[in-house]
Amino acid sequence: MANNAVQGEPPKQYARAKKAAAHFQISVSSLWSWAKTRDNFPKPLRAGRRTTLFDIGAIDAFLKSDGGGEK
């Protein structure tokens, strides 16, 4: 049985914009603004024609790095 996750790395957790924004206690418009304007911000994943997902772990890592202090 194949395991796609790297050992020691938590599984990827994706959320739509509303839930991702709630997770980080920001507005949905702030989340989209960050995705469009901040360098190295994790790009959203298009999961369908009308579905966009954000990688919660990648955004968390971004915010814990120096990227979280950008304007």
Side-chain angles (χ1 to χ4, degrees):
M1 180 155 79
N3 186 356
N4 292 337
V6 175
Q7 191 170 2
E9 182 178 306
K12 298 254 185 211
Q13 179 183 2
Y14 293 96
R16 292 179 113 172
K18 187 175 180 179
K19 290 203 183 230
H23 178 83
F24 294 106
Q25 299 179 350
I26 60 172
S27 68
V28 174
S29 61
S30 291
L31 180 66
W32 280 110
S33 176
W34 291 0
K36 292 178 183 179
T37 62
R38 291 189 176 196
D39 293 336
N40 300 323
F41 188 84
K43 298 300 175 201
L45 171 69
R46 294 287 297 186
R49 194 175 68 134
R50 297 181 63 185
T51 305
T52 303
L53 301 173
F54 290 85
D55 183 345
I56 299 296
I59 295 171
D60 191 42
F62 172 81
L63 293 174
K64 287 179 181 175
S65 72
D66 290 336
E70 291 182 10
K71 291 186 178 181

